[in-house]
Amino acid sequence: MPTEPLTGWGRTAPTAARVVRPRSHEEAAAAVRACGARGSIARGLGRAYGDAAQNAGGAVLDMTALDRIRSVDADTGVVVCDAGVSLHRLMEVLLPLGWFVPVTPGTRYVTVGGAVAADIHGKNHHVSGSFSRHVRGLELLTADGTVRSVPPGTDLFDATAGGMGLTGVILSATVRLLPVETSLMSVDTERARDLDDLMARLTTTDHRYRYSVAWIDLLARGAATGRAVLTRGDHAPYDALPAAARRRPLGFRTGRLPPPPGLVPDGLLNRTTVRAFNELWYRRAPRRPSTGRLQRIPAFFHPLDGVPHWNRVYGRAGFVQYQFVVPYGQEDALRRVVRRISRRGCPSFLAVLKRFGAADPGWLSFPMPGWTLALDIPAGLPGLGAFLDGLDDEVAAAGGRVYLAKDSRLRPDTLRAMYPRLPDFLDLRARLDPRAVFTSDLARRLAL
């Protein structure tokens, strides 16, 4: 079978693998048995930013053909679906029935299997936790060819949730949904003049909102360091809709813009262009808080999904997404990191700050109670590797961690300092998969 080149969404570090596209559980099991010495890893829609769903010289199981919604209980809001079903498809099917996915990241083009493997989080983590908290059970194909039913509260579930596909191939999941009255969001927007102002607003008022996120200007300096636009909201009740919208209160419409050109000039995103964008974005936000504005779900949760292949705008070298969390009580560490990024002049126009709630049970699950900052940086920025290594050290010293689903360059020793349950994960993996049937470029890079 010929190999195919694969990258993550950041389009860095391409490697080639044999891509198998199983259409049944039996075909998935056969592909795992035939994977060879370089092992196999499952892959969904390719939205992990780094190398988690790549496997140089081995096999990659493209799970997107396993996309059947098996059952929906419209009374209790429980769906059973194959791992290859996307969150977009769940929204199409479930919103008209009055149900919404419990957790969604910044894109709806993520499979359910990928959502569990990365234990994705969204703007509502401070209220709802990460995706695995809403999963009632999994079917998991393990290295010995067995399909296991895996309930929450077991070691295998906790190793799989956030385990980056290294415990086996997720075949299906049972997920508990969120009831909603409409497909519109009621949104409040306000400016924060600097990082301390932003953190104070989030700390004192986040409990009023189900969803909360702040876009932050990481090129602003001096008194404006960390200035931001804070956007928060909840699902709009039926009574809040204007008369025209009440005719189809649960309609789900998605808009699309033309994709960027296939070849974007390198250097298009630089300090000058991003600084101009940041200034415009900050100034267009209302001077006084705006409340109760109605927005469609795609506009509130997934604005970039309206631009196909938006990752091309970073040019041929691609980009690095860097996301970390530091615990509450380590606000000075967050301030230091923001100042370092600002002084370095990293041209990031996609930078967001959020608050996390209680930690989730996954041994390698990313969220912990604290502050999380995510930013995109062009991969060709000179000295980027050493700069991010320095940020890793700052984050680890503060008791924080980086997100493996977005990582493409973390060092193994730093990983061990960040994830205290890593020894448990490695021990279970050694017992469950002693021949490393399931592996990936990320696993090799981080000695997992």
Side-chain angles (χ1 to χ4, degrees), residues 21 54 183 202 213 250 272 362:
R21 296 176 173 85
Q54 299 171 219
S183 60
L202 288 166
V213 67
L250 291 166
T272 300

Side-chain angles (χ1 to χ4, degrees), residues 6 21 74 79 90 96 133 147 154 225 236 243-244 250 262 279-280 291 315 333 391 410 414 441:
L6 296 172
R21 296 176 173 85
V79 61
L90 288 182
R133 194 180 297 184
V147 176
T154 62
T225 299
L250 291 166
E279 184 69 25
L280 176 64
T291 61
L391 297 190
L410 188 66
T414 311
D441 290 357

Side-chain angles (χ1 to χ4, degrees), residues 48-103:
Y49 285 78
D51 52 2
Q54 299 171 219
N55 184 22
V60 169
L61 277 64
D62 181 334
M63 300 296 290
T64 55
L66 285 166
D67 60 353
R68 185 164 57 117
I69 296 177
R70 295 167 173 257
S71 67
V72 177
D73 188 325
D75 295 323
T76 62
V78 174
V79 61
V80 181
C81 62
D82 288 343
V85 173
S86 70
L87 299 191
H88 173 82
R89 179 61 179 154
L90 288 182
M91 292 177 198
E92 284 185 321
V93 172
L94 300 171
L95 262 173
L97 303 177
W99 297 98
F100 189 64
V101 293
V103 172

Side-chain angles (χ1 to χ4, degrees), residues 171-258:
L171 298 173
S172 70
T174 302
V175 183
R176 184 178 63 251
L177 307 167
L178 176 71
V180 295
E181 295 182 15
T182 76
S183 60
L184 292 173
M185 306 297 297
S186 177
V187 181
D188 295 355
T189 305
E190 58 190 289
R191 290 185 191 176
R193 63 181 180 273
D194 57 30
L195 182 60
D196 284 343
D197 182 32
L198 173 61
M199 288 194 291
R201 291 171 188 256
L202 288 166
T203 299
T204 57
T205 59
D206 247 11
H207 64 279
R208 302 175 187 169
Y209 299 91
R210 180 178 295 274
Y211 302 101
S212 176
V213 67
W215 168 88
I216 184 170
D217 183 356
L218 291 176
L219 286 178
R221 302 182 69 172
T225 299
R227 68 177 181 175
V229 177
L230 181 55
T231 305
R232 295 180 286 187
D234 206 337
H235 298 276
Y238 180 82
D239 291 346
L241 269 55
R246 293 186 184 188
R247 289 194 291 268
R248 292 188 68 239
L250 291 166
F252 181 56
R253 295 182 295 110
T254 61
R256 302 282 279 183
L257 296 172

Side-chain angles (χ1 to χ4, degrees), residues 9 38 60 158 180 235 326 342 344 358 397 434 447:
W9 191 245
R38 294 289 287 181
V60 169
D158 292 346
V180 295
H235 298 276
V326 293
S342 176
R344 181 66 172 76

